[in-house]
Amino acid sequence: MNGITIALSKGRIFEETLPLLAAAGIVPLEHPESSRKLIINTNRPDVRVVIVRASDTPTYVQHGAADIGIAGRDVLLEHGGAGLYQPLDLNIARCRMCVAVPVGFDYQQAVRRGARLRVATKYISTAREHFADKGVHVDLIKLYGSMELAPLVGLADAIVDLVSSGNTLLANNLMVVEELMTISSRLIVNQAALKMKHEILQPLIDAFAGAVK
Ligand code: ATP
Ligand code: MG
């Protein structure tokens, strides 16, 4: 393709990216929720959007199937970032990555005694690094969603998950006991594309930078 392809996940990233695209003069011609299309054209014949799973965005950009994309820090840390240029923190899809346990579970005590903690998470490598830095022994259990359920049914003692309002934790009688990091989404660019398609990409990156609050 002569133009450029932008990889976005539907949901919060797509919604929060629309104003940034608008700042660059780009308007998608369809909405992924209603059209169900995976390739969406825009008002600009040289720009199209592909709709991917959030955790797949870095993979599409790494391999050049998309020239640029937008992915959460959580997803980028798990992916590793190989082959990706990350020029901008877009300050969208903001939340925190936290350790949470059932209300009443004495986390500090469990950690002090050197107990082996069972931790369920989608973020295995980030969680592994976090607990290794603390010197806490953990058995990591990989889940793909609904992490909050794991401690409630005895699958794990704790979870590492993303928290924004905290309402989901509250509704399931869980509480945050530690914050690993703040999360927001970043612009990612294929390194070869940045050179080959510099004339299209650089104005886009500049427009995004100008629109970031
Ligand atoms: P899926 O919902 O398809 O399982 P996902 O949960 O990774 O995948 P989204 O829920 O769209 O996809 O999340 C996309 C990104 O938005 C995440 O990678 C993260 O950076 C951020 N995010 C996730 N949950 C929240 C939240 N509650 N509030 C703000 N940002 C969030
Ligand atoms: Mg989600």
Side-chain angles (χ1 to χ4, degrees), residues 9-13 16 53-55 71-75 93-95 122-123 144 162-165 183-185:
S9 52
K10 62 182 180 188
R12 55 172 62 85
I13 288 189
E16 294 189 43
R53 187 85 187 258
S55 46
R73 185 182 178 193
D74 51 325
V75 163
R94 292 174 56 81
C95 53
K122 190 160 139 182
Y123 306 106
Y144 292 88
L162 303 180
V163 180
S164 46
S165 69
I183 300 286
S184 55
S185 284

Side-chain angles (χ1 to χ4, degrees), residues 14-200:
F14 186 87
E15 304 302 335
E16 294 189 43
T17 298
L18 284 177
L20 300 175
L21 289 172
I26 298 167
V27 182
L29 297 181
E30 282 175 290
H31 195 284
E33 304 288 353
S34 50
S35 85
R36 296 178 178 228
K37 280 192 187 163
L38 298 176
I39 300 181
I40 295 180
N41 290 321
T42 72
N43 63 319
R44 276 183 41 185
D46 59 341
V47 180
R48 65 178 185 175
V49 174
V50 293
I51 304 299
V52 302
R53 187 85 187 258
S55 46
D56 292 334
T57 305
T59 307
Y60 278 84
V61 177
Q62 173 188 7
H63 294 281
D67 300 295
I68 69 172
I70 295 174
R73 185 182 178 193
D74 51 325
V75 163
L76 288 167
L77 286 173
E78 289 296 308
H79 171 271
L84 302 175
Y85 174 59
Q86 301 184 23
L88 268 186
D89 186 338
L90 298 171
N91 217 14
I92 60 170
R94 292 174 56 81
C95 53
R96 302 171 293 142
M97 191 180 291
C98 297
V99 180
V101 300
V103 172
F105 179 84
D106 194 342
Y107 176 71
Q108 301 307 337
Q109 171 67 16
V111 165
R112 259 199 309 274
R113 315 193 285 278
R116 223 181 154 79
L117 212 61
R118 293 170 307 148
V119 179
T121 187
K122 190 160 139 182
Y123 306 106
I124 292 285
S125 90
T126 311
R128 179 180 293 116
E129 192 176 322
H130 172 70
F131 290 108
D133 285 350
K134 283 168 64 82
V136 175
H137 296 290
V138 288
D139 291 318
L140 292 169
I141 301 164
K142 167 79 183 184
L143 291 178
Y144 292 88
S146 299
M147 268 73 83
E148 298 86 0
L149 178 63
L152 306 180
V153 294
L155 180 63
D157 305 308
I159 60 173
V160 169
D161 197 5
L162 303 180
V163 180
S164 46
S165 69
N167 286 336
T168 308
L169 292 181
L170 199 64
N172 291 291
N173 208 29
L174 301 170
M175 61 178 191
V176 170
V177 287
E178 217 179 341
E179 181 180 316
L180 278 66
M181 63 184 81
T182 58
I183 300 286
S184 55
S185 284
R186 296 170 180 188
L187 189 64
I188 56 176
V189 185
N190 176 277
Q191 286 173 350
L194 188 62
K195 298 194 190 89
M196 306 291 293
K197 300 183 180 181
H198 195 261
E199 270 169 47
I200 308 183

